[in-house]
Amino acid sequence: MTAVSDQGLLQQIQAVRLAIDEILNLLDSSPVTPFSGKDVAELRAAVGELRIRLEELDAEPATLTVVLMGGTGVGKSTLLNAIAGERIAQSGIVRPTTQFSTVYHHADLKLDLLPAPFRHCRNIAHHRDDLRHKVLIDTPDMDGSVVEHHERLREILPAADAVLYVGSGEKYHDLAGWKILREQARSRGFAFLLNKWDRCLASHDESTGTPPDEDFRRSLRDAGFESPLLFRVCGRQWEARRVDGKTDFEPIPDDFADLCRWLEAELDDRAIRDIKARGIAGELDHILSMLGRMTPPDWSRKAQSLRMQWEGALRTRLADHARLLVEAADSQSVELERHFGLIGRQGIGGIFGVYLRLFDRIMHLPGLLLPFSSATAKSEMQRIAERCLDAIPPTTRQTHRDALREHLLALADREGWPIEPLGACMTLDEYDETSSPLADGALSAALAAELVSLERDYTSPEGGRRVLQILVRFLCYWLPWVVLAGIGVSLIYSFSNWTMWGFGELFSSALLLAATIAGLHLLLVWAFPVNWEALRGRLFQRLENHLVGRLAPTYTQALERLAGKLSTERQRLSGAHGVLKGVRDHLRRMEGESASSLFSRFRVDHR
Amino acid sequence: MQPTIEPTTLRNSRTDDPVGRTLLDDLIELASYYRGRGLDGCELTDTELRFLVGLIRYRFSPPEGTILSQRGHIMVFGGAGAGKSTTSNILSGTECAEVNSQAGYTRHPTAIYLPSDGDPPETWPDKLGDLRCCDRAQPGSLDADRFSTRVPDSNPVDPEFLRAFVVWDCPDLTTRDSTHYVGRVVEIAALADLCVYVASDERYNDELPTAFLQAVLAAGKPTLVVLTKVSEFDAEELVSLFRQQVLARMRCSELVLDVYPVPTPLRGKIGELWTSAFPHGARLRGSVRESLVDLAGVRASAAEQAIRYVADREDSLLKPLASDVGHWRAWAELVRRSAHTAITRYEAEYLDRWQGEDFSQSHELLLRAMAPGRANYVWRTLEYLRVPYRILKTMTARYMDRGSVGGVDESALLESIREHLYDSLVLAVATRRASDPFWEALHSDLLKREELAMDAVFRDRHAQQTRLLRSRSREAIQKLEERLAESAWFVRVLQAARLLLDVAAIAGAIYVGYLWSEGFHLWIMVLVLAAVGIVDDLVRLACHAVVRRQREEIIATQKQNIRELIQSAYVDVLTRLPKGLGERLERLSGLCSRIPQSLRILSRQLSAGRPAGDSP
């Protein structure tokens, strides 16, 4: 005969084991879900208790462990002696009397099958068949001034299937016992004994008010026991009668006979099985309610709303960044203008080309002192971009970076996200916290890239501008030649007429050439505007698009990564929850009426 | 045997002690803070706190009510069902306390006494700490903090005893509800001059009652132990067991006057316990009388012990406050640091680069004042001479003057600075959230940003300040203009000096050029042009120096303004968080040093044997 005879249940128990392993694995693997430390500790403790209970199920034949619990001097040991009919536990007037637990069990029971906490106790074997599958344990007190005793009781309790809560007229609802009662009520069968009934009767005769048994019942109902199973007993008289064999006193009427009948006959195998199943169901109830409380909300939906917020914030903040960069580029405006000018005029040869080179030299005469390489456009732009970035003080760069990061995290915090793992996800490199998507390298690369693309657009425009450019180039090359040729022709013509040019003619033709060149220069400036103000606006637009388009996703991806991890953890938890819930429901269905009627019925929903 | 005490001197020596009063006020403030805060997870408990406050209260500043100072007070306490009410009856010699078989029946302390015939009649205080006086006639709720007084209906065995002493029947310390009312017992324990500890055979070594007994002894209260529900045969053994197991482990156990067993009488005779048929009452009363003969002396030594008791618990008493103050200081430091970052950022990103259009105005004003005007031919010639230098300078300047990332929008910058300030604080608090409830409260307060109204205040005040600053710089320019207009002769002198300078420079250039080249060459012209240009620049620089003072002044004002603005709009508001706590902690932080100091002074006074009121 086994506690869990049907195969289905055995399989389910195996599933429970796997589920709690899953939970423990999750808790051990430093989860990103922000569980509170208190919850985790409580859950671990509950899972530990459940493990002990599952272990007990393996024991065969199933034995019911009944623990006698109560304050010092209420008569636990006396009662055990009375029930056993022999002096197995010491009782006396020294408080606290019992120091160690005593296990009272059937001789056939293999002790190593008992749950671990019971194996180290003093044990007394008996040969009574009516108590064959029951183990009675006398425990030390929980309210005396020897604190070690309370701990011994605490060690024993997790392995108990049922508790006989012993109270006396003085101590039936003391604080120390009540605390334990409230904790244990959900997962253990409880029956209550009001010992020293003779004293209660005596003192009640003398005084007024509610009798102790009524008051006890009321307290129990307050604590959540709908129909407390209460035996009023006088352990002393039964110890005297059954152990010492004294009969020379007037019997005091009590419920001891009922208690023995209940213990010996009513708690049959089926009841034992039920009470065990109910204990596990109780533990599962507790674990389920904790899991329900700890299971995080659905982060994927929340991620959507936070992502929207982030995108808005990133757009404005990155525009600020772009503005900062463009302002930094202001400092390099002369170089940029000259660079763009040179690029634009490349390939214009002839007279105008010579003029342009000359003009550039004159205009940038002081610039000759500065290093100016004629390297390829790309590396030149990279160099300029780096110099631009240098124009922003490092602290400013850092502050802007931090401001963005902190703003995003603060937004997440407002939505209840765990910010520490999120902050860790937000770096480019998982192992380097300083690598930000907005690091100097990334910014200068972005600036250089946009300058190059700006240059590309500038040198090879599309559509109408392209035609215009070809036209202007054509004019720039040919017009001076045409003018010069005209002047030459008119000079030859005048030679042919044998007239020498005077100063006036020479001057006016030089003026014509100068005017042509000046006009062409104006045309060039109009067609290829190289002034910084015009470039600046375009650069800002491009930079903004670049930052928002390329760097912003790094942040939102971090969010998605975290949301992914969170939902995985959520799924693992709710998976375990589902399994445990299935088993709990099965156990509840299986649970017969006997267990409920044989022990005090406790309202599960009672807090 | 009447106790010989002089009520007036006793009262005066206690209540006039300023140090004791300060200590009591501080403790009461501390207690009220702890009550609001809750003491979860602390070494200190509500009960202990109440005891400590009570000890100081009844020793240094007892409530008004002559019955407190004139009579000895005896408290009866113990676990539920141990027989406290029975013992109270035995002590007072009459059935006065209600004996009930229900454990934990008594919920309020009851004072049993007989009014004395003295004139004026004795008075009861309205309140003992938080316990309000309540007559039996008014049935109060079980949860209300109150005490009642009762005069026995029937004639007691020893009426003189109840005229000289007050017997307090107290609620139990052990039942499931006792956490709600153990504070009431503690209040009476602090008041009592002598305690009677009641323990039954079942209860004599219980954790909670023995811990309470230990506290009472450590606080210097002489105590009588009554062991109840013992059989005649076990009585002696139980007494010796109690001495061995309980008293031997206790500190201050010399204050236990006697361990007295009260054997249970035969069934039906419990009611006779307090009649003269049993000797217990007389013996207990005798012990009480004997030990309280010198009430003033007992109280003085108890006071000394009480101070020592409180001083021993000083650390655990102040620990929660010290930890809160520590958190609050860390928070204030965080706020200050963030504010500092904000100010530095404003200075670096805006103020240091601020050109200020108004300054160029006053610059121009000065330059214009020095120029004699277009009508002056000499001046016009000079202006032409300056042109080449200026062109050259402009071309060069583009290469010289670089790196000015200018044109920052002030309000946008401030907006971003404020956002950053707020974000960084939210984040810093969020990462500390789990460590202490303080940060949790702070976090939730901080998220209610609109309620804090910091941004609106900042914006309003900043706009106001900007207006003020504008008008001030306008005023400065106006003043300059007025001064120049008023002193025409000074302007003339300036103009003349400037012309003179130019002429001297030209003359110098020609002279130098002539000396070197021994004749007139074209480059003498170049030298002249350079000289004119340089003089012009020097004059500009001089004007600039004058204007710079004005500019620096305004920048300094602006710095100051922003600093004050951030202080008043942010730092002051934020350090007051968590709501209602920040301010209070700032005030309470003084207690951490004041309470130990008062305790030291008091214990020094008491051990020196001087009356407490004498020393400053």
Side-chain angles (χ1 to χ4, degrees):
Chain A
M1 132 71 236
T2 149
V4 276
S5 43
D6 58 316
Q7 275 298 302
L9 186 60
L10 270 179
Q11 275 170 11
Q12 293 212 2
I13 296 296
Q14 193 53 36
V16 169
R17 286 219 171 92
L18 289 176
I20 60 179
D21 281 346
E22 173 78 3
I23 294 172
L24 289 179
N25 278 341
L26 178 64
L27 293 183
D28 287 336
S29 63
S30 57
V32 287
T33 313
F35 298 121
S36 91
K38 211 176 121 210
D39 278 352
V40 171
E42 207 180 325
L43 184 61
R44 276 181 198 278
V47 167
E49 280 199 20
L50 181 62
R51 284 199 161 183
I52 296 179
R53 304 291 284 265
L54 293 178
E55 230 176 85
E56 276 176 52
L57 275 187
D58 288 344
E60 221 167 316
T63 31
L64 188 74
T65 47
V66 183
V67 164
L68 285 153
M69 177 184 104
T72 139
V74 293
K76 296 180 292 297
S77 303
T78 312
L79 267 169
L80 185 59
N81 290 344
I83 291 169
E86 53 185 313
R87 190 169 297 281
I88 52 172
Q90 198 196 351
S91 56
I93 65 162
V94 184
R95 301 281 169 262
T97 326
T98 307
Q99 295 183 16
F100 297 96
S101 306
T102 306
V103 177
Y104 182 63
H105 61 93
H106 195 271
D108 290 350
L109 183 77
K110 290 194 200 98
L111 275 181
D112 49 346
L113 288 180
L114 278 181
F118 295 147
R119 288 178 209 154
H120 314 293
C121 302
R122 194 170 76 98
N123 52 72
I124 308 278
H126 62 79
H127 295 276
R128 288 172 56 182
D129 277 346
D130 43 10
L131 288 178
R132 178 177 270 278
H133 296 306
K134 290 142 213 167
V135 179
L136 289 172
I137 300 113
D138 180 31
T139 61
D141 57 286
M142 77 311 207
D143 66 346
S145 57
V146 186
V147 189
E148 292 82 6
H149 290 189
H150 313 181
E151 276 155 22
R152 272 173 215 148
L153 174 67
R154 289 263 174 198
E155 280 165 22
I156 295 277
L157 270 179
D161 293 317
V163 175
L164 275 181
Y165 182 96
V166 186
S168 70
E170 287 180 30
K171 289 193 172 176
Y172 56 86
H173 56 195
D174 262 14
L175 189 62
W178 223 249
K179 270 191 204 155
I180 300 176
L181 183 75
R182 280 175 173 283
E183 281 168 24
Q184 305 290 334
R186 59 183 152 76
S187 51
R188 270 160 252 285
F190 265 84
F192 302 91
L193 302 182
L194 183 58
N195 196 17
K196 307 199 183 174
W197 180 235
D198 50 337
R199 274 201 195 183
C200 295
L201 286 174
S203 67
H204 190 65
D205 282 354
E206 308 286 339
S207 61
T208 52
T210 329
D213 54 339
E214 281 307 308
D215 195 37
F216 194 12
R217 270 185 223 277
R218 197 169 56 200
S219 289
L220 288 171
R221 271 193 291 273
D222 287 351
F225 288 96
E226 271 173 354
S227 49
L229 183 67
L230 176 65
F231 299 100
R232 294 157 298 185
V233 290
C234 174
R236 278 277 278 289
Q237 77 166 332
W238 292 103
E239 188 187 37
R241 209 179 277 262
R242 295 176 63 163
V243 180
D244 305 333
K246 288 186 200 158
T247 44
D248 55 338
F249 53 83
E250 195 185 329
I252 300 150
D254 68 358
D255 305 333
F256 187 78
D258 295 337
L259 171 67
C260 290
R261 197 175 52 246
W262 172 75
L263 201 58
E264 288 158 10
E266 287 182 29
L267 287 183
D268 57 8
D269 294 341
R270 179 165 169 73
I272 292 173
R273 200 194 69 176
D274 281 353
I275 193 70
K276 283 202 178 267
R278 209 159 71 105
I280 291 173
E283 293 281 3
L284 284 176
D285 272 335
H286 181 54
I287 292 177
L288 283 174
S289 82
M290 288 198 51
L291 282 180
R293 200 169 64 224
M294 285 167 70
T295 306
D298 189 2
W299 294 99
S300 54
R301 199 169 308 140
K302 288 181 92 180
Q304 205 55 39
S305 93
L306 184 62
R307 201 197 147 110
M308 306 259 277
Q309 287 188 40
W310 272 27
E311 276 168 357
L314 279 167
R315 217 169 291 133
T316 52
R317 296 277 168 147
L318 288 175
D320 281 351
H321 252 85
R323 199 165 294 126
L324 189 74
L325 284 176
V326 171
E327 276 162 10
D330 282 346
S331 67
Q332 303 293 316
S333 59
V334 182
E335 271 88 346
L336 283 169
E337 272 182 14
R338 187 176 177 204
H339 184 85
F340 274 79
L342 283 177
I343 298 282
R345 284 160 212 153
Q346 251 171 16
I348 299 180
I351 301 174
F352 193 65
V354 173
Y355 158 77
L356 276 181
R357 267 189 283 283
L358 210 64
F359 184 79
D360 182 62
R361 274 292 140 85
I362 294 168
M363 286 311 286
H364 294 92
L365 210 53
L368 286 180
L369 301 171
L370 300 170
F372 189 87
S373 72
S374 54
T376 55
K378 194 158 183 183
S379 71
E380 172 65 15
M381 284 307 180
Q382 185 65 44
R383 205 169 54 82
I384 292 180
E386 272 162 21
R387 259 195 271 152
C388 287
L389 217 60
D390 286 343
I392 315 172
T395 48
T396 310
R397 272 177 271 161
Q398 188 62 39
T399 324
H400 279 249
R401 253 199 303 274
D402 291 350
L404 176 60
R405 181 191 155 87
E406 280 166 14
H407 184 62
L408 294 180
L409 287 178
L411 281 178
D413 178 53
R414 190 180 276 267
E415 299 280 308
W417 284 72
I419 50 172
E420 265 154 27
L422 187 56
C425 283
M426 251 155 74
T427 52
L428 284 180
D429 185 350
E430 221 173 303
Y431 305 101
D432 181 11
E433 283 192 8
T434 55
S435 68
S436 153
L438 288 179
D440 289 349
L443 285 185
S444 69
L447 186 57
E450 288 316 313
L451 282 173
V452 167
S453 95
L454 193 63
E455 186 189 284
R456 198 180 308 121
D457 279 12
Y458 181 73
T459 47
S460 48
E462 301 279 311
R465 287 188 69 82
R466 188 182 169 82
V467 177
L468 184 71
Q469 198 183 23
I470 293 170
L471 207 66
V472 170
R473 271 172 194 275
F474 183 78
L475 271 181
C476 287
Y477 187 79
W478 286 110
L479 201 58
W481 285 123
V482 170
V483 170
L484 205 63
I487 291 169
V489 167
S490 61
L491 195 62
I492 291 165
Y493 179 72
S494 68
F495 268 132
S496 68
N497 286 345
W498 295 104
T499 38
M500 281 303 283
W501 273 16
F503 176 74
E505 283 88 355
L506 276 175
F507 184 73
S508 58
S509 52
L511 203 66
L512 183 67
L513 191 63
T516 313
I517 285 175
L520 283 174
H521 201 153
L522 281 177
L523 190 68
L524 197 69
V525 168
W526 174 74
F528 304 106
V530 278
N531 86 42
W532 173 239
E533 288 306 315
L535 291 172
R536 197 177 189 274
R538 271 148 75 188
L539 182 64
F540 173 69
Q541 209 65 49
R542 275 153 198 268
L543 260 178
E544 192 186 353
N545 289 341
H546 183 108
L547 294 185
V548 173
R550 301 245 185 103
L551 298 188
T554 326
Y555 288 103
T556 42
Q557 276 159 16
L559 183 63
E560 263 149 34
R561 247 193 329 268
L562 182 69
K565 278 188 199 169
L566 287 169
S567 4
T568 318
E569 281 172 13
R570 181 186 142 87
Q571 274 165 15
R572 284 171 72 183
L573 267 193
S574 45
H577 187 277
V579 171
L580 295 182
K581 190 164 183 294
V583 176
R584 196 266 320 259
D585 292 346
H586 183 91
L587 288 174
R588 286 261 180 256
R589 269 198 304 279
M590 217 179 84
E591 175 188 308
E593 265 309 296
S594 58
S596 336
S597 59
L598 278 173
F599 281 97
S600 312
R601 194 199 298 268
F602 181 69
R603 286 199 306 276
V604 178
D605 57 344
H606 185 82
R607 290 297 307 174
Chain B
M1 255 201 299
Q2 277 282 4
T4 52
I5 43 163
E6 293 156 88
T8 42
T9 53
L10 195 70
R11 275 196 76 78
N12 287 345
S13 74
R14 283 178 187 174
T15 50
D16 292 350
D17 183 359
V19 185
R21 263 188 178 256
T22 319
L23 178 62
L24 179 62
D25 290 345
D26 287 351
L27 284 177
I28 287 174
E29 196 171 359
L30 188 69
S32 90
Y33 170 68
Y34 283 163
R35 200 170 311 143
R37 175 195 187 274
L39 287 171
D40 291 343
C42 300
E43 197 187 331
L44 184 75
T45 57
D46 287 323
T47 318
E48 190 169 13
L49 179 67
R50 202 162 169 180
F51 192 42
L52 295 175
V53 177
L55 283 174
I56 299 297
R57 186 199 324 274
Y58 296 112
R59 290 306 159 232
F60 292 100
S61 183
E64 297 296 325
T66 50
I67 203 152
L68 292 189
S69 52
Q70 287 172 356
R71 291 197 184 197
H73 289 258
I74 301 140
M75 173 184 74
V76 180
F77 74 102
K84 293 175 299 299
S85 299
T86 309
T87 311
S88 299
N89 286 343
I90 293 174
L91 202 57
S92 46
T94 174
E95 179 166 5
C96 198
E98 202 171 323
V99 177
N100 196 301
S101 56
Q102 194 181 329
Y105 179 76
T106 311
R107 292 291 173 94
H108 301 283
T110 308
I112 303 166
Y113 76 115
L114 277 175
S116 67
D117 316 324
D119 187 54
E122 291 167 317
T123 54
W124 278 97
D126 296 334
K127 274 180 120 182
L128 294 173
D130 294 331
L131 287 187
R132 282 208 281 160
C133 180
C134 176
D135 282 337
R136 287 197 65 222
Q138 306 170 280
S141 136
L142 284 179
D143 294 332
D145 252 5
R146 61 185 174 86
F147 71 94
S148 51
T149 62
R150 189 183 305 172
V151 177
D153 305 329
S154 57
N155 213 19
V157 176
D158 184 357
E160 280 312 305
F161 183 81
L162 282 187
R163 289 207 177 90
F165 300 100
V166 179
V167 175
W168 287 92
D169 180 29
C170 287
D172 69 282
L173 307 165
T174 54
T175 55
R176 63 189 172 106
D177 292 329
S178 63
T179 41
H180 302 308
Y181 50 77
V182 71
R184 301 171 198 164
V185 190
V186 156
E187 193 70 43
I188 303 304
L191 159 79
D193 298 301
L194 186 134
C195 299
V196 176
Y197 173 58
V198 183
S200 64
D201 63 338
E202 205 175 302
R203 284 229 182 254
Y204 77 84
N205 200 5
D206 271 11
E207 191 186 9
L208 289 174
T210 41
F212 200 90
L213 174 65
Q214 173 64 85
V216 164
L217 289 175
K221 310 276 179 191
T223 303
L224 271 171
V225 176
V226 173
L227 297 176
T228 57
K229 306 195 180 174
V230 273
S231 65
E232 296 272 2
F233 321 104
D234 292 337
E236 257 177 60
E237 195 193 344
L238 200 63
V239 169
S240 74
L241 272 176
F242 183 81
R243 284 191 185 280
Q244 279 167 28
Q245 283 188 287
V246 182
L247 291 187
R249 286 189 293 113
M250 277 198 184
R251 284 176 297 118
C252 306
S253 57
E254 69 279 0
L255 283 169
V256 174
L257 305 169
D258 196 6
V259 180
Y260 191 80
V262 177
T264 320
L266 290 174
R267 219 173 150 188
K269 286 200 171 179
I270 292 173
E272 285 176 25
L273 263 175
W274 42 84
T275 60
S276 48
F278 283 88
H280 313 301
R283 194 176 147 191
L284 279 175
R285 285 190 288 272
S287 301
V288 170
R289 279 200 171 107
E290 194 183 324
S291 52
L292 291 185
V293 166
D294 175 18
L295 186 56
V298 169
R299 284 186 173 177
S301 72
E304 196 175 327
Q305 187 60 34
I307 289 292
R308 214 171 296 148
Y309 182 78
V310 178
D312 283 348
R313 274 146 195 82
E314 186 184 295
D315 279 346
S316 69
L317 180 68
L318 291 175
K319 207 173 183 183
L321 177 66
S323 124
D324 285 357
V325 168
H327 286 305
W328 177 75
R329 289 216 172 115
W331 162 239
E333 181 56 36
L334 261 179
V335 172
R336 264 196 295 279
R337 218 179 316 141
S338 294
H340 180 74
T341 315
I343 292 167
T344 330
R345 219 183 126 190
Y346 178 75
E347 285 172 6
E349 289 180 36
Y350 180 70
L351 225 43
D352 289 353
R353 280 192 236 141
W354 186 42
Q355 303 299 320
E357 61 279 35
D358 297 339
F359 302 125
S360 56
Q361 261 188 48
S362 43
H363 195 215
E364 286 299 311
L365 209 64
L366 269 176
L367 283 177
R368 226 183 305 133
M370 276 187 229
R374 292 236 147 224
N376 191 317
Y377 284 102
V378 184
W379 180 255
R380 248 158 88 181
T381 321
L382 281 172
E383 281 288 77
Y384 286 128
L385 286 177
R386 282 170 198 144
V387 169
Y389 178 83
R390 278 187 194 162
I391 289 175
L392 208 65
K393 196 183 141 190
T394 326
M395 276 164 63
T396 328
R398 292 203 299 178
Y399 287 91
M400 297 303 149
D401 179 29
R402 57 172 64 234
S404 82
V405 183
V408 185
D409 178 7
E410 192 195 7
S411 62
L413 178 70
L414 279 175
E415 178 79 35
S416 109
I417 286 176
R418 291 203 319 264
E419 285 295 316
H420 188 196
L421 174 76
Y422 178 74
D423 289 342
S424 65
L425 285 177
V426 167
L427 220 57
V429 171
T431 48
R432 287 169 173 81
R433 237 167 104 185
S435 67
D436 196 275
F438 177 90
W439 297 100
E440 184 68 57
L442 198 57
H443 186 254
S444 68
D445 279 355
L446 208 54
L447 285 190
K448 297 175 201 138
R449 192 174 176 182
E450 273 67 42
E451 277 178 35
L452 299 176
M454 304 180 293
D455 300 308
V457 170
F458 184 90
R459 260 194 296 265
D460 288 354
R461 288 207 197 140
H462 183 249
Q464 210 177 327
Q465 275 187 4
T466 314
R467 271 201 300 280
L468 208 70
L469 200 71
R470 285 259 160 77
S471 72
R472 272 187 56 183
S473 59
R474 252 203 311 278
E475 263 170 39
I477 294 165
Q478 262 170 17
K479 217 187 270 172
L480 186 71
E481 217 168 358
E482 277 166 21
R483 216 183 291 163
L484 287 174
E486 269 170 24
S487 48
W489 63 271
F490 176 70
V491 174
R492 287 274 147 87
V493 170
L494 267 185
Q495 287 175 353
R498 165 127 215 225
L499 273 182
L500 220 64
L501 210 63
D502 275 323
V503 171
I506 292 169
I510 292 173
Y511 180 67
V512 169
Y514 182 71
L515 274 192
W516 280 355
S517 57
E518 294 176 356
F520 289 99
H521 283 272
L522 196 62
W523 69 271
I524 289 183
M525 194 59 209
V526 176
L527 217 58
V528 167
L529 290 180
V532 171
I534 288 168
V535 166
D536 187 43
D537 255 5
L538 285 177
V539 170
R540 266 168 200 279
L541 273 179
C543 288
H544 198 74
V546 174
V547 173
R548 198 165 58 201
R549 236 189 35 224
Q550 201 185 4
R551 178 171 177 259
E552 269 164 11
E553 214 170 84
I554 290 206
I555 284 187
T557 323
Q558 183 73 340
K559 268 188 192 173
Q560 191 58 33
N561 280 347
I562 278 293
R563 206 160 281 177
E564 274 167 17
L565 201 55
I566 288 189
Q567 180 73 30
S568 64
Y570 286 90
V571 177
D572 289 351
V573 174
L574 287 171
T575 48
R576 236 173 274 146
L577 295 181
K579 217 160 268 169
L581 199 66
E583 251 173 308
R584 201 160 173 202
L585 280 172
E586 193 173 10
R587 214 173 50 242
L588 286 175
S589 59
L591 296 188
C592 289
S593 58
R594 211 157 64 221
I595 289 177
Q597 202 183 346
S598 307
L599 283 171
R600 264 198 304 281
I601 295 175
L602 283 175
S603 61
R604 218 179 303 138
Q605 282 173 4
L606 285 169
S607 58
R610 274 176 294 159
D614 277 6
S615 56

